[in-house]
Amino acid sequence: MIERYSLPEMAAIWSSGHKTDKWLQVELLACEAWAREGVISPEALEKIRGASYNAQRMQEIEQETHHDVISFLRSVQEQLGPEGRFIHLGLTSSDVLDTGLAAQIKEAGQLLTASLSELAEVLAHAAIQYKYTLMAGRSHGIHAEPITFGLKLASWLDETRRHQQRLASALEQVTVGKISGAVGTHATVPPQIEEFVCERMGLGIEPISSQVVQRDRHAHFMTTLALIGSSLEKMAQEIRHLQRTELSEAFEPFGSGQQGSSAMPHKRNPELCERVCGLARVVRGYAVTAMEDVALWHERDISHSSAERIIIPDACTLLHYMLSIFTKVMRGLQVDAERMQANLNMTGGLVFSQRILLALIDKGVGRQEAYKMVQRNAMKVWGMASQGPIQGPALLEALNADAEVANYLSPAELQELTSTDFYTKYVDVAFKRVGL
């Protein structure tokens, strides 16, 4: 499924050919740097600049060597001739692998950054559109107090912007290279070689490396991807809840020829949001593996290598796909404002209980006494709800009939306490805080 829907730009970044292209770029830049040091002659460098590898030959050699970098190097050296001796001069495999990987992550990060920006733009537009669209706020899945759908979306926008900052920070940390030799001492390859290669590739430098770039950097990146995925799951899960038959407040897009069930023609399932939720679990699992990769033996082992060949390309590809899918959902989201209003009213005014409680307290009633006064009438309304949908302002009617409440609040005062304007008076402030 993922291959079918993968966005081609991300798939290209993590292709085996592009990975090997990055290896060759590292090797050729290292030769350029050695030439600047006078180790490689201009004539030899000119021939080296035309070096290439043969993917089929690499596979043949790897059957013998069981080492992908050695197979790559032999393929390059075979077609270069005598000048091939300068390829990989003073380097170790991880110099090539880790620096090339950093370059791939940088490219993948650019796509993820652009996708996050697109989602933020769509969320901002939707938040403004539904800024004052009233709906029931829910806690524990139960009606709490009125909110607006726009306020909910504005909070998603703010969260997405935090992820933009987190991703930028993680990319800065992980996009570093190292050309420092077998155990990071620079004994066989001086620091200026590393500086030249990394600068030309647009990468930072691991200040003190072992044989590898330290894997806390990659774990930071992977946990950031997992956190973004978790937020996408949170948003998608909310839409799944709002699309439930009992609510029917918001729906992901559904094409004219789309079918929701092989058995039930009426079904309109939130399958895109469910897909996002499922894949978020996979990305979080990859983050755990990345943290396991931090602890390597001494200056390096390769227990991280086999895992990273799966988790880093897959996590980048999955998250890019999830961002694409969820942006599509938000761009085509269908909102039923009338149903939101109807659901807000379905409990006969119970959503106004706190405001009435505070009004009684303002009249001089003790908090616990006021709480009991409102609660006993709210429980009567809940009892009515068990008999069927509540019609009209049932809570107000119960309160007006309560002699103790009537001692403090008139029918007109109670009526005023059910104005939803009270709950939207600071929406503008919240929107200004997020720049909307």
Side-chain angles (χ1 to χ4, degrees):
M1 180 193 73
I2 300 306
E3 285 187 26
R4 175 184 172 190
Y5 287 102
S6 291
L7 300 181
E9 305 96 324
M10 186 64 80
I13 289 170
W14 296 110
S15 67
S16 59
H18 191 66
K19 177 180 71 173
T20 315
D21 288 344
K22 289 300 174 185
W23 293 358
L24 183 61
Q25 183 182 9
V26 172
E27 294 286 1
L28 296 184
L29 284 172
C31 289
E32 295 273 359
W34 279 119
R36 290 162 64 95
E37 299 298 311
V39 175
I40 300 177
S41 69
E43 295 77 19
L45 180 62
E46 189 61 32
K47 185 173 182 181
I48 289 170
R49 284 173 175 157
S52 62
Y53 62 88
N54 183 293
Q56 183 176 348
R57 179 61 180 145
M58 284 175 58
Q59 292 178 359
E60 293 170 358
I61 298 171
E62 192 169 353
Q63 294 299 312
E64 171 192 345
T65 64
H66 301 283
H67 196 295
D68 53 357
V69 175
I70 290 175
S71 303
F72 159 73
L73 294 172
R74 281 179 56 180
S75 171
V76 174
Q77 291 161 351
E78 284 177 354
Q79 57 87 33
L80 267 181
E83 289 78 8
R85 70 187 188 278
F86 294 116
I87 297 293
H88 208 61
L89 183 63
L91 277 59
T92 190
S93 295
S94 290
D95 290 326
V96 179
L97 293 171
D98 281 5
T99 305
L101 176 61
Q104 287 178 282
I105 292 175
K106 182 174 182 177
E107 293 174 348
Q110 290 169 345
L111 293 182
L112 293 172
T113 298
S115 293
L116 264 181
S117 296
E118 184 180 3
L119 175 58
E121 183 180 343
V122 171
L123 288 172
H125 177 79
I128 293 170
Q129 182 178 358
Y130 300 110
K131 182 176 182 179
Y132 295 110
T133 301
L134 283 165
M135 67 181 301
R138 298 172 173 92
S139 57
H140 305 275
I142 308 300
H143 281 203
E145 290 188 337
I147 62 169
T148 75
F149 190 49
L151 197 60
K152 185 190 296 284
L153 297 178
S155 75
W156 294 0
L157 169 63
D158 194 41
E159 188 166 346
T160 300
R161 287 175 176 171
R162 290 195 295 276
H163 287 314
Q164 289 177 297
Q165 295 171 355
R166 292 183 181 112
L167 181 59
S169 175
L171 285 169
E172 182 180 4
Q173 289 288 318
V174 77
T175 53
V176 299
K178 59 87 62 179
I179 308 289
S180 56
V183 290
T185 62
H186 289 283
T188 57
V189 53
Q192 57 266 34
I193 305 296
E194 178 180 66
E195 292 164 3
F196 178 85
V197 173
C198 289
E199 190 275 330
R200 287 297 181 90
M201 295 187 72
L203 302 174
I205 297 171
E206 178 71 282
I208 303 176
S209 58
S210 57
Q211 192 179 96
V212 295
V213 169
Q214 301 308 293
R215 258 43 196 179
D216 65 289
R217 297 178 180 273
H218 302 77
H220 179 200
F221 175 66
M222 292 291 289
T223 53
T224 298
L225 300 192
L227 186 54
I228 296 171
S230 294
S231 289
L232 290 176
E233 180 181 12
K234 164 188 143 178
M235 300 171 198
Q237 180 174 263
E238 179 69 11
I239 293 172
R240 290 170 60 195
H241 279 306
L242 297 179
Q243 188 163 330
R244 287 186 297 119
T245 306
E246 293 81 359
L247 272 67
S248 296
E249 294 181 356
F251 304 83
E252 68 176 41
F254 193 84
S256 59
Q258 189 171 341
Q259 296 176 313
S261 167
S262 64
M264 297 168 284
H266 74 277
K267 295 283 280 181
R268 179 177 178 175
N269 302 326
E271 61 94 6
L272 294 176
C273 288
E274 289 174 338
R275 200 182 308 171
V276 168
C277 292
L279 293 177
R281 301 164 192 170
V282 179
V283 178
R284 282 196 294 274
Y286 289 159
V288 173
T289 304
M291 287 187 283
E292 296 286 348
D293 285 343
V294 173
L296 303 178
W297 286 17
H298 303 296
E299 276 56 61
R300 180 230 184 179
D301 61 58
I302 60 168
S303 60
H304 67 291
S305 177
S306 55
E308 285 181 355
R309 291 166 191 252
I310 299 170
I311 65 172
I312 295 179
D314 273 17
C316 290
T317 302
L318 285 175
L319 184 61
H320 192 218
Y321 172 66
M322 290 163 64
L323 286 165
S324 174
I325 289 296
F326 191 67
T327 300
K328 173 185 176 181
V329 168
M330 290 308 303
R331 184 174 281 118
L333 191 69
Q334 298 174 14
V335 176
D336 190 334
E338 291 184 2
R339 183 60 180 259
M340 287 181 172
Q341 183 69 57
N343 287 344
L344 178 62
N345 296 334
M346 70 182 296
T347 56
L350 291 180
V351 292
F352 304 113
S353 69
Q354 181 183 196
R355 193 174 179 206
I356 295 167
L357 166 68
L358 296 176
L360 286 169
I361 293 172
D362 192 51
K363 293 285 188 176
V365 183
R367 182 178 183 85
Q368 292 307 311
E369 182 183 358
Y371 193 100
K372 291 178 181 178
M373 291 163 64
V374 178
Q375 187 183 44
R376 67 173 176 249
N377 287 285
M379 292 303 103
K380 293 177 184 178
V381 175
W382 275 123
M384 295 169 58
S386 66
Q387 305 301 316
I390 299 174
Q391 302 295 327
L395 180 60
L396 285 189
E397 293 170 1
L399 290 167
N400 281 323
D402 188 312
E404 191 175 10
V405 174
N407 286 332
Y408 299 99
L409 296 172
S410 69
E413 288 175 313
L414 284 170
Q415 182 66 45
E416 192 278 329
L417 291 172
T418 63
S419 170
T420 54
D421 292 344
F422 178 82
Y423 300 92
T424 61
K425 60 185 178 181
Y426 294 121
V427 169
D428 281 342
V429 174
F431 270 61
K432 286 179 182 176
R433 286 178 173 178
V434 294
L436 294 179

